[in-house]
Every structure is written in C-alpha cells, then in structure tokens.
Amino acid sequence: MSNDTELIKLLDLADAIPAAAMLRARSYDLLRLQPGDAAVDVGCGAGRAVAELNDRKVTAVGMDVSEEMITVAQRRWPDADFRAGDAYRLPLGDHEVAGYRADKVFHELGDPARALTEAARVLAPGGRIVLIGQDWDTFVIDSDQPGLTRTIVQARADLTASPRAARGYRNLLLDAGFREVEVEVHVGVFTGKTMLGMLTGIAQAVHAAGIITREQHDAWTGEQVRRAEQDRLFLALPLFLASATRTDGHSSSV
C-alpha cells in the first residue's frame, strides 16, 4: 500500500470529524467568494474541499503534486476540475482566481515564501487567501513517557520541511505584501482511535530516522494502542487558520 493511500485513509477519517467539517466551512467563509467566482485549492488531496466549494456555486479547481491523489479525486468527484500542479508553479494564468486555499500544505514546502509569491500571481486584485495547518512542534499527546514523547514530537518536526510554517503564516503573508491578515487557532481534541494511526506513524518515522530505538518505538506505540483500546488516548492539535487579501497593487515579483 502506497504512502498516498495511507494518507488518504487518514485524511478521510479526519475529514469526517464534525469539527473538521466546521473548520472547512470556516475556511470557505473567509474566502468571501460569490457564486461564479473562481478558486484554487492547492494540495487538494482527495478533493473534498473542491466538491464543497462547487456546492457553494464556486468554480473551484483542485491542484496536487500527487498523481494518485488526483486520480482518487477525479474518481470521487467526476464533475469537478482536478489537475496535477506544484505550489511553486500553478498551471493558472495571472490573476485568474478570486480565492486561494491551502490546507495542511505549507509545512511540506521547503520555501513557503516562494509559494506565496505564486499565490499572489494567480490571485486577482482583492482576492482572498486562506491557509490552514498544524504546527509540528505543538502536538499535545498524553503519555506515561513524557520525555520520550517530547523526543518523538520534536524529532518528527525536524523531519518536516517547514514544521513551524503555521505559526509563521501571519509574517509570511505580511512579508508577501498581503493585507487584512488575520489568524485564528482552532484546537482539535481527539480521544478515540481515529488518530491512532497518525501517532503510530509519527513514532515509526522517528524510528526509521534512527532517532529512537526499536524498544522505545514499541513501548511508546504500545502505550498509545492500549490507551486507544481503553478510551484513554488524548491528542490536542492546534490548527492555525490564516486569511488575507491580495492588494490591488500587488506585484508577482514580491
């Protein structure tokens, strides 16, 4: 099973949580789009946000670097527009869209500022941008092994291209010349088995990088599995939601 397939399974589970649906709806509201407006969802994954924007009468296009994600999205939403696309080089014309949305994307980018330059290029003057993402240093995980938990969380953050991009959204947007920059924090609290795969995946990645031993990995994941089985798992995940407006005089060379 490919990494993308595992990711799709995890995203499907997370997207089904009512709080996640509310956060998506909030992101659409912050785009301030009118029926008929065009928007791009960068890093669209399996396409749910594109379909929901289309339901709002927005002409949305989904972009993702993963061909597998695009294939899944096209199968699920055959009437929607999905294209392979890179956040640094979107296959869109200058000022083509009124809305730009990227959910859990910028931490995967080695150069978030460059992606925002591209966002400014495709956005029309007065267009809106919304970014959503977690800060990889601020996972709150209950464990009887707090020292090992800190090691795992911090090490997993260090394996991420831009682990603290979300806390930097405001400054990134200001530096890129956007105005009306606002940031909200929504904390997801998970106590069941839904996010167990995410926790075990974090530990596996850290072990694969040689940062923790097999014994440490097994002890920590074993505890989290037991917690999930006994309804004692606890994960709090702050999600940062930033929104801003492209200035009328915005230059694509920012």
Side-chain angles (χ1 to χ4, degrees), residues 239-251:
L239 291 164
F240 294 80
L241 191 158
S243 60
T245 303
R246 183 193 186 283
T247 59
D248 291 349
H250 206 127
S251 170

Side-chain angles (χ1 to χ4, degrees), residues 28-249:
Y28 308 150
D29 291 343
L30 288 169
L31 286 172
R32 302 176 188 169
L33 297 169
Q34 300 298 315
D37 282 347
V40 60
D41 188 49
V42 177
C44 64
R48 186 185 300 270
V50 171
E52 291 177 344
L53 284 167
N54 287 341
D55 286 343
R56 292 181 173 222
K57 309 305 180 185
V58 171
T59 303
V61 55
M63 302 278 184
D64 206 288
V65 295
S66 167
E67 294 284 357
E68 183 175 350
M69 289 287 192
I70 293 296
T71 298
V72 171
Q74 290 172 333
R75 184 169 64 245
R76 292 184 177 184
W77 323 102
D79 294 331
D81 185 355
F82 297 103
R83 311 175 196 173
D86 186 313
Y88 301 135
R89 295 175 296 275
L90 296 173
L92 296 170
D94 293 354
H95 319 318
E96 186 171 336
V97 297
Y100 174 109
R101 180 181 182 275
D103 186 352
K104 296 183 284 294
V105 172
F106 272 51
H107 63 257
E108 299 285 359
L109 303 177
D111 191 352
R114 181 181 166 200
L116 284 181
T117 297
E118 181 68 349
R121 181 188 70 80
V122 302
L123 273 171
R128 295 281 293 170
I129 183 170
V130 172
L131 307 176
I132 308 169
Q134 67 269 31
D135 185 300
W136 284 76
D137 270 339
T138 56
F139 284 34
V140 181
I141 304 167
D142 194 15
S143 171
D144 296 331
Q145 306 168 82
L148 180 56
T149 301
R150 281 193 295 273
T151 295
I152 290 171
V153 170
Q154 291 170 3
R156 181 62 184 87
D158 290 341
L159 295 173
T160 304
S162 296
R164 289 164 290 280
R167 73 176 69 176
Y169 282 162
R170 182 176 185 273
N171 288 336
L172 284 165
L173 287 163
L174 289 172
D175 290 345
F178 287 86
R179 60 182 173 84
E180 297 178 344
V181 180
E182 297 181 351
V183 179
E184 303 173 1
V185 182
H186 300 256
V187 181
V189 176
F190 306 94
T191 58
K193 296 181 179 181
T194 300
M195 300 301 281
L196 178 61
M198 180 182 193
L199 295 182
T200 58
I202 288 172
Q204 177 57 37
V206 173
H207 169 62
I211 299 166
I212 61 173
T213 66
R214 168 55 64 180
E215 290 74 21
Q216 289 174 313
H217 167 275
D218 291 348
W220 194 82
T221 57
E223 179 197 347
Q224 294 304 319
V225 169
R226 289 192 298 274
R227 283 176 172 270
E229 291 172 345
Q230 298 166 6
D231 192 26
R232 291 295 184 270
L233 184 145
F234 183 90
L235 165 67
L237 189 61
L239 291 164
F240 294 80
L241 191 158
S243 60
T245 303
R246 183 193 186 283
T247 59
D248 291 349

